[in-house]
Structures are given as structure tokens and as C-alpha cells.
Amino acid sequence: IAVNDPKFLDGDTHPARDLLNTMLDLGSRWINPEQLNRGIFPTLQHSVRTILKDPLGADLILLKNELTRQEEQLRKSHSIMEKRTLEAEKGQARISQSRDIAKAAVNSLLEKYPLPSNVRVFLQTIFMDYLSLLLLRNEMDPQHPKCTEALAHTVSMIERTAENDNE
């Protein structure tokens, strides 16, 4: 283009110069060398091939607009992925927190009552998972009625088990 159109070298306002600058900028930010078939690279390839096919007839403004649209899609995609990653991290933190609270409650019960191993296993697995789920569903509030009800039923079951063992 520079050979055929000397204005290309005169300033930044030439459409080919603008396209080249855009391509360089986007290529440096949006190309992953390990995944060239993704991101902006295919659109850059298309632009280069279009120019090589017809250097004087290529619609440089259209090619730049295609690149700009592709960049906007990549930005949106990237933003959505970041948001999902943050939500997943928050979710993992909430799960961990609920499990810690449930584990503390179960450990408190296990320290208070001498229980057979099968009851201990039940409390440390199934009941702890259930209590964790209740906490997640009820704003991590161990004093929520559903949580306190589950614990009350469990204490009742433990006391009945202890009574049966004493007989």
C-alpha cells in the first residue's frame, strides 16, 4: 500500500496506517500464541489476506471496523469470564465457610456425647453436609430456625441413642 500510495507514509490519518496501527495494537493484546485459532488472530489473518488479494481495492475502513467489533466481543467475553471466576471464588469461599461452621457444630456434639462410631461417621459426613447446605441456603446464619431445628433433632437423636446404649 505504501508503494502504491505515498500518502500512507505522510501521517497517521491514512486508512491503511490506521488499520495497521489497530492491527498491531490488537495483536499485542489479544493474541495467545498457543491458541492462534481463537481470539483476534483469525480476524487479523482475514484482514491481511483481503489486502494481499487486492491491495488497492480492499475496504480498509470496513476491515478496521471488523477488527473493532471483534475486539469489543473479546472485551465482553473477557469481562464475563472474569465475573464468573469471581463468582466461583466467592461461592467456594461460602462453601468453605459453611463447612467450617457445620464442622464446629458437629465437633461440639461429638465432644459432648460419647457415641458409637457409626453415629459419629453419620454426623461427620451426611449431617455435616446437610447442615452446610442449610447454612448456605439461610445466609450463613447458624441461628436460623432451620439450622437450630436440625441441630435440635440431631441432639434428640443422639440422646435417644445414648439412652438405648445405657439400657
Side-chain angles (χ1 to χ4, degrees), residues 22-134:
T22 299
M23 291 173 74
L24 291 171
D25 179 50
L26 296 179
S28 68
R29 288 187 291 133
W30 292 104
I31 289 182
N32 179 350
E34 296 172 5
Q35 297 179 332
L36 289 177
N37 61 339
R38 300 180 82 189
I40 199 86
F41 189 75
T43 309
L44 290 172
Q45 275 185 317
H46 169 73
S47 297
V48 170
R49 288 181 179 144
T50 300
I51 293 168
L52 290 175
K53 187 186 271 184
D54 186 8
L56 297 176
D59 187 343
L60 304 176
I61 295 171
L62 177 68
L63 292 173
K64 182 184 178 211
N65 288 341
E66 286 179 30
L67 285 166
T68 303
R69 274 193 305 276
Q70 180 70 25
E71 179 191 22
E72 184 59 32
Q73 288 177 344
L74 287 168
R75 283 181 196 265
K76 286 179 183 176
S77 235
H78 188 71
S79 176
I80 290 169
M81 286 178 15
E82 282 181 345
K83 185 177 178 182
R84 287 182 181 163
T85 300
L86 288 174
E87 288 172 358
E89 288 173 1
K90 287 178 185 176
Q92 287 298 325
R94 284 179 51 85
I95 289 170
S96 180
Q97 182 184 9
S98 73
R99 291 196 57 76
D100 289 345
I101 294 169
K103 185 176 183 179
V106 167
N107 285 342
S108 174
L109 293 174
L110 294 175
E111 289 172 8
K112 189 173 182 180
Y113 299 97
L115 298 167
S117 63
N118 59 346
V119 175
R120 297 176 80 77
V121 169
F122 168 79
L123 291 174
Q124 291 172 322
T125 56
I126 296 169
F127 179 72
M128 193 165 75
D129 287 345
Y130 177 68
L131 190 54
S132 295
L133 181 62
L134 285 177

Side-chain angles (χ1 to χ4, degrees), residues 132-157:
S132 295
L133 181 62
L134 285 177
L135 288 162
L136 286 167
R137 288 183 176 172
N138 297 290
E139 300 179 21
M140 306 299 281
D141 179 11
Q143 300 305 316
H144 188 277
K146 292 193 178 198
C147 295
T148 56
E149 180 183 0
L151 285 168
H153 286 303
T154 303
V155 168
S156 175
M157 178 188 76

